Amino acid sequence: MSSTRASAAQEAPLTLDQPAPKVLSFWDQSAFWANLGVSLIAFSGAYTVLAPNAEGAAQISIAAGILATVLGTLVGGLMLGAAALTGARTGQPAMVLLRGLFGAKLSYLPTVLNIAQLIGWGTFELIVIGDAAGELFGGGPHWLYVVVAGLLTTVLTIWPLGSVRLLRRFVTAGVVIALIWFYAQFFRAGLPDLRANPGPSGSGPFGVDWNLFWVATDAALAVSISWVPVAADYTRHSRTGRSAFGAASGAYALTQIIAYVLGLFALALATGAGGPYAPFLQVSLGALFFFVFVLREADQSFANVYSTAVSIQNLAPRVDRRVLSIGLGALITVLALRLDMSNYFGFLGLIGSVFVPLLGVLVADFFLRAHREWNTAPDAPARWGMVVAWLAGFAVYQLINPGDAGVWTEFWDRVRQALHFTAQAWMSASLLSFLAALAVAWLVGKVAARTASA
């Protein structure tokens, strides 16, 4: 009986009104974030840091793409670390933290948006796993791969902290070995000139068109920031704030850079035959080590599903997260079997742009203001000034990059025309919207403090 109680005390609480145990070490968290940085999407989507044009052709060299990956990931990693630190300091999950930023009721809006995007990304991860497994095994029942991945995801979410520790003890070693193996095989195969510029002639050294370089940097930065809305869900269990920040910013940035560079090398070696993972499967023992990546991808869907459950608890605090996890695991499995996610990308990009300026507001109010109690109670009062700062940053993002979301994009195109504003290629939507939201939130905080003391 005592061992059962001790085991339960080491796990995430079942409801929101139970305390979060501080049981995750620096190495537990490092393994977790390091595994999230290595993704099949990074391998297949590495071309996004080559600033592809409308036809999908790269416009900067692979060398420039690597440089953009490093810079964007390091900046994004610092932002991720800041979000992780807030969870460690407060012991609250990400969406509950927003009660202190916006007020309890106003926190429901970003919570609903986060739930929508996490369900979308969880679904997409199962589709990616199914596609990769099909390529690995030379076909077979796609539905079976998706169902198995959905079941594995659900099991991991029922014991989330145990799953994090499992990654540290077993999975991370396999991933490291697989990465080393593929790097060695790709170098043995002989890489083309990484400085060759597939884009317009007349670019600078290393094939860099510096305007397009910042577009590429923004692509890498955005991937890191995509984990910001879930970071505190895990780091609230961190033993110290320092370990939470260091693991999230350092381990994730390191492995994302390694994975993207490996994906760029695979792209350089691709011959056009086979799917996006063909270069991995064509090397010696490639299928064996690629299987490690396919199996490990379940931690991406696990993170999305568990954070969806915790986000729902901000709306319904007493609902058991295990019930939510099982229901959500079944939901994303059904969606992955029935949906074509290509039509969902515009929506996911739109929702994702919500959380970049939101982080700017959080950083300004949590770290830059004088110490105040961070009120995450169910009756925390509304703070409309912070909502204004958030919307200001969101508007900056949309003016620079409204994405490809049909009527929504057309609306922002008309706004840009009315303002006589033309987005320049060097403008980073992620970075500038973050800074704009941070600046407005800081000013709002200063005015509110002076008003209160008057």
Side-chain angles (χ1 to χ4, degrees), residues 433-448:
S433 66
F434 172 85
L435 293 175
L438 185 149
V440 175
W442 182 80
L443 288 172
V444 168
K446 293 287 285 186
V447 171

Side-chain angles (χ1 to χ4, degrees), residues 203-267:
S203 298
F206 301 102
V208 179
D209 180 328
W210 290 108
N211 284 335
L212 294 174
F213 174 80
W214 296 114
V215 174
T217 301
D218 199 38
L221 189 153
V223 175
S224 301
I225 293 180
S226 68
W227 291 108
V228 162
V230 307
D233 298 340
Y234 306 93
T235 59
R236 65 176 175 145
H237 301 288
S238 176
R239 292 174 184 170
T240 66
R242 179 180 297 180
S243 63
F245 178 85
S249 60
Y252 179 86
L254 175 63
T255 54
Q256 178 171 297
I257 291 170
I258 291 172
Y260 263 74
V261 172
L262 186 62
L264 290 172
F265 285 176
L267 183 65

Side-chain angles (χ1 to χ4, degrees), residues 32-373:
F32 173 69
W33 290 112
N35 277 281
L36 290 184
V38 181
S39 170
L40 293 174
I41 298 176
F43 299 144
S44 61
Y47 74 95
T48 59
V49 296
L50 300 181
N53 58 21
E55 289 73 37
Q59 299 183 86
I60 64 174
S61 70
I62 291 179
I66 292 174
L67 182 59
T69 297
V70 172
L71 180 58
T73 301
L74 290 178
V75 174
L78 291 175
M79 294 181 178
L80 178 60
L85 183 55
T86 61
R89 286 186 177 179
T90 63
Q92 298 291 350
M95 293 301 104
V96 176
L97 262 169
L98 298 184
R99 294 179 182 179
L101 187 64
F102 297 135
K105 300 301 182 184
L106 291 178
S107 73
Y108 292 171
L109 175 58
T111 297
V112 170
L113 294 175
N114 195 40
I115 291 169
Q117 77 153 350
L118 290 174
I119 290 174
W121 283 118
T123 300
F124 182 65
E125 287 293 347
L126 295 191
I127 294 174
V128 168
I129 293 172
D131 291 344
E135 197 164 334
L136 173 64
F137 297 118
H142 182 271
W143 68 268
L144 180 60
Y145 303 144
V146 170
V147 170
V148 171
L151 288 172
L152 178 59
T153 296
T154 304
V155 170
L156 292 174
T157 58
I158 294 175
W159 295 281
L161 300 187
S163 298
V164 170
R165 290 188 285 264
L166 179 68
L167 289 174
R168 175 176 66 85
R169 292 170 182 168
F170 303 106
V171 180
T172 305
V175 171
V176 170
I177 293 171
L179 286 171
I180 293 173
W181 181 263
F182 282 118
Y183 264 100
Q185 293 301 311
F186 286 174
F187 275 113
R188 285 185 59 192
L191 297 173
D193 183 5
L194 301 181
R195 297 175 299 173
N197 184 11
S201 60
S203 298
F206 301 102
V208 179
D209 180 328
W210 290 108
N211 284 335
L212 294 174
F213 174 80
W214 296 114
V215 174
T217 301
D218 199 38
L221 189 153
V223 175
S224 301
I225 293 180
S226 68
W227 291 108
V228 162
V230 307
D233 298 340
Y234 306 93
T235 59
R236 65 176 175 145
H237 301 288
S238 176
R239 292 174 184 170
T240 66
R242 179 180 297 180
S243 63
F245 178 85
S249 60
Y252 179 86
L254 175 63
T255 54
Q256 178 171 297
I257 291 170
I258 291 172
Y260 263 74
V261 172
L262 186 62
L264 290 172
F265 285 176
L267 183 65
L269 291 171
T271 60
Y277 308 115
F280 294 92
L281 299 175
Q282 291 166 356
V283 303
S284 176
L285 298 180
L288 173 63
F289 287 106
F290 190 71
F291 177 73
V292 174
F293 291 148
V294 174
L295 183 64
R296 185 226 51 82
E297 192 73 10
D299 68 3
Q300 304 270 340
S301 52
F302 145 64
N304 286 312
V305 170
Y306 173 67
S307 285
T308 307
V310 176
S311 296
I312 291 174
Q313 286 186 322
N314 187 38
L315 309 177
R318 292 187 175 87
V319 179
D320 191 317
R321 63 165 176 79
R322 296 171 299 184
V323 175
L324 293 172
S325 295
I326 293 172
L328 290 166
L331 174 62
I332 67 167
T333 301
V334 172
L335 292 175
L337 291 171
R338 299 184 64 87
L339 291 184
D340 177 4
M341 287 295 292
S342 61
N343 297 325
Y344 198 48
F345 273 127
F347 178 61
L348 288 175
L350 173 61
I351 295 180
S353 69
V354 165
F355 293 98
V356 177
L358 190 149
L359 177 63
V361 178
L362 181 62
V363 167
D365 200 52
F366 193 92
F367 294 106
L368 302 184
R369 285 191 62 195
H371 176 73
R372 70 174 183 85
E373 182 182 358

